[in-house]
């Protein structure tokens, strides 16, 4: 059977889950990837309120929706970042606290550990519990060296090594909790993270000594406009693809005044070289992605992360679901030319 098609609720957190769920079903989706912001999945409530998890599953089941992953990108970002005033807008008040950077990073790390525990409890509480099911939490890691992406002032490898060492120091204790809870952490490889392309993803894996709970939430859109081979990414990390976002992007557009770094412009500015698009309207070759995911043995959900500043989101998310339904296919179970062989 083709994979389930889900919708990542992160860009819909302005809507309460009770209002959003029927819309998701009406748009044609099989399920959701729940964001840990808005009221979609609240980590502390999942751990402390006895009926919180049951209520979420009851709501999802009422609308015929499943859930295969939760995502805590915003808090994960603060674990390694150089903290500034922008982080206050994305973090829970109790994680931000007094805003002193090291305290923010430490509280963010503890919240990510709590997210692993909440994920285990949540997936154990689903209508068809499978206690050996390796749950998935998607997210970001942040990076203490992203500001050094361009090598001036001159940046040597020793300087960058310190950034990867900081990542390992902060994330290995988190990953050990993920191991204890039988939960995988899937980093969305993305500019501003410790891993943003194939080379840095390999280096991140090396930094955490190939910890078996550290893998990737595959998203081609963040690779394509950088010039990274987004199909090769799947083949390079076939055993580390824990989840897959489906998001499109175009590049080579704009008026020539804004480059790949974005020119300090807003999304959907017509001057931009690249921008996110609704599925099928950008430059990502999803046919090649499906083939590569099949070859990698990935059978998890295809989760639409819908972002297109030029389009109504209900229209866009609906057409994206239909696009994936038409595109996805199960791998072949037998050689197509086997019938030509002569029987003895």
């Amino acid at each position: 059977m083709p994979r389930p098609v889900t919708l990542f609720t992160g860009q819909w957190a302005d809507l309460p889950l009770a209002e959003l769920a029927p819309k998701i079903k009406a748009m044609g989706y099989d399920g959701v990837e729940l964001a840990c912001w808005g009221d979609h999945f609240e980590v502390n409530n999942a751990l402390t309120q006895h009926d919180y998890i049951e209520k979420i599953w009851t709501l999802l089941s009422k609308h015929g929706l499943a859930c295969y992953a939760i995502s805590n990108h915003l808090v994960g970002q603060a674990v390694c970042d150089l903290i500034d005033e922008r982080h206050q807008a994305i973090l829970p008040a109790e994680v931000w606290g007094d805003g002193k950077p090291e305290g923010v990073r430490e509280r963010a790390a503890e919240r990510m550990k709590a997210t692993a525990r909440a994920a285990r409890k949540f997936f154990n509480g689903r209508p068809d519990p499978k206690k050996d099911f390796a749950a998935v939490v998607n997210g970001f890691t942040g990076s203490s060296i992203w500001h050094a992406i361009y090598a001036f002032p001159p940046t040597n490898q020793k300087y960058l090594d310190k950034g990867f060492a900081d990542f390992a120091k902060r994330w290995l204790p988190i990953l050990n909790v993920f191991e204890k809870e039988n939960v995988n952490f899937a980093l969305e490889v993305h500019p501003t993270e410790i891993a943003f392309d194939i080379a840095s993803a390999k280096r991140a894996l090396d930094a955490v000594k190939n910890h078996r709970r550290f893998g990737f939430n595959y998203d081609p859109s963040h690779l394509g406009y950088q010039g990274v081979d987004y199909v090769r990414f799947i083949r390079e990390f076939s055993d580390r693809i824990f989840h897959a976002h489906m998001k499109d992007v175009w590049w080579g557009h704009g008026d020539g005044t804004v480059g790949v770094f974005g020119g300090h412009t807003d999304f959907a500015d017509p001057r931009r070289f690249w921008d996110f698009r609704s599925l099928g309207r950008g430059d990502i070759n999803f046919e090649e992605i499906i083939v590569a995911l099949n070859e990698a043995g990935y059978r998890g959900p295809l989760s639409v992360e819908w972002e297109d500043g030029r389009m109504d989101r209900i229209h866009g998310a609906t057409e994206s679901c239909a696009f994936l339904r038409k595109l996805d296919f199960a791998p072949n179970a037998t050689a197509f030319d086997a019938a030509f062989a002569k029987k003895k």
Side-chain angles (χ1 to χ4, degrees):
M1 294 292 291
R3 303 165 185 85
V5 178
T6 61
L7 182 70
F8 176 40
T9 69
Q11 288 76 14
W12 307 72
D14 57 307
L15 299 177
L17 185 59
E19 181 181 342
L20 179 59
K23 296 181 186 294
I24 292 174
K25 188 62 178 179
M27 288 186 285
Y29 288 90
D30 300 311
V32 292
E33 172 196 347
L34 289 174
C36 293
W37 54 94
D39 78 338
H40 297 181
F41 188 88
E42 298 174 87
V43 170
N44 284 350
N45 288 348
L47 292 174
T48 61
Q49 295 184 11
H50 76 278
D51 60 348
Y52 178 79
I53 286 172
E54 181 182 358
K55 286 180 178 179
I56 292 182
W57 282 117
T58 298
L59 173 63
L60 295 179
S61 297
K62 175 183 176 182
H63 297 289
L65 298 172
C67 182
Y68 303 90
I70 64 172
S71 294
N72 206 350
H73 293 68
L74 306 186
V75 171
Q77 185 70 35
V79 174
C80 288
D81 260 12
L82 303 178
I83 303 299
D84 60 42
E85 64 269 20
R86 298 171 301 159
H87 293 81
Q88 185 174 11
I90 66 171
L91 293 174
E94 63 272 20
V95 174
W96 176 256
D98 61 7
K100 293 181 180 179
E102 187 55 27
V104 173
R105 287 187 284 263
E106 291 173 357
R107 288 187 291 275
E110 291 305 311
R111 180 59 64 90
M112 292 308 295
K113 294 175 185 176
T115 304
R117 299 183 185 105
R120 179 74 278 145
K121 187 176 178 182
F122 176 64
F123 286 106
N124 281 356
R126 65 187 183 175
D128 57 337
K130 297 176 182 176
K131 297 293 176 67
D132 59 346
F133 167 75
V136 175
V137 171
N138 300 314
F140 290 153
T141 60
S143 171
S144 64
I145 52 174
W146 175 251
H147 67 287
I149 188 67
Y150 193 81
F152 194 86
T155 307
N156 58 33
Q157 291 299 317
K158 184 177 179 181
Y159 182 92
L160 299 175
D161 284 341
K162 289 191 293 184
F164 282 92
D166 178 75
F167 158 67
K169 179 187 75 173
R170 296 180 186 279
W171 274 92
L172 277 170
I174 300 171
L175 293 172
N176 288 339
V177 175
F178 273 74
E179 169 66 19
K180 180 179 178 181
E181 299 295 336
N182 191 19
V183 178
N184 292 328
F185 177 74
L187 167 62
E188 187 169 335
V189 175
H190 184 294
T192 76
E193 309 314 316
I194 195 64
F196 52 91
D197 58 14
I198 292 174
S200 55
K202 289 181 177 179
R203 199 162 176 174
L205 273 168
D206 288 343
V208 293
K209 298 179 173 57
N210 293 301
H211 197 292
R212 72 174 189 150
R213 296 301 179 177
F214 182 75
F216 303 113
N217 175 39
Y218 174 73
D219 187 327
S221 69
H222 304 298
L223 303 172
Y225 71 82
Q226 293 186 70
V228 178
D229 188 333
Y230 52 86
V231 177
R232 180 174 177 176
F233 187 98
I234 298 171
R235 297 193 167 109
E236 291 276 353
F237 303 108
S238 60
D239 62 338
R240 296 281 176 164
I241 306 295
F242 294 155
H243 192 262
H245 269 181
M246 297 288 104
K247 187 164 71 170
D248 211 344
V249 65
W250 71 7
W251 58 92
H253 296 260
D255 67 358
T257 65
V258 176
V260 72
F261 295 124
H264 295 309
T265 60
D266 292 328
F267 288 119
D269 188 310
R271 297 171 293 172
R272 287 175 62 90
F273 172 76
W274 68 271
D275 233 323
F276 297 125
R277 297 304 316 277
S278 191
L279 264 68
R281 295 181 180 268
D283 296 321
I284 296 295
N285 188 327
F286 286 96
E287 175 76 18
E288 291 193 12
I289 288 172
I290 296 300
V291 170
L293 288 174
N294 280 345
E295 291 172 350
Y298 176 77
R299 302 302 301 150
L302 302 178
S303 187
V304 172
E305 183 181 17
W306 191 86
E307 294 182 353
D308 190 327
R310 295 172 171 83
M311 185 182 294
D312 173 79
R313 63 181 176 178
I314 295 290
H315 176 92
T318 301
E319 73 168 20
S320 294
C321 183
F323 175 83
L324 282 180
R325 293 268 187 231
K326 183 177 179 180
L327 182 70
D328 190 29
F329 54 88
N332 194 3
T334 185
F336 68 87
D337 59 353
F340 299 151
K342 293 181 179 179
K343 293 184 179 179
K344 294 183 180 179

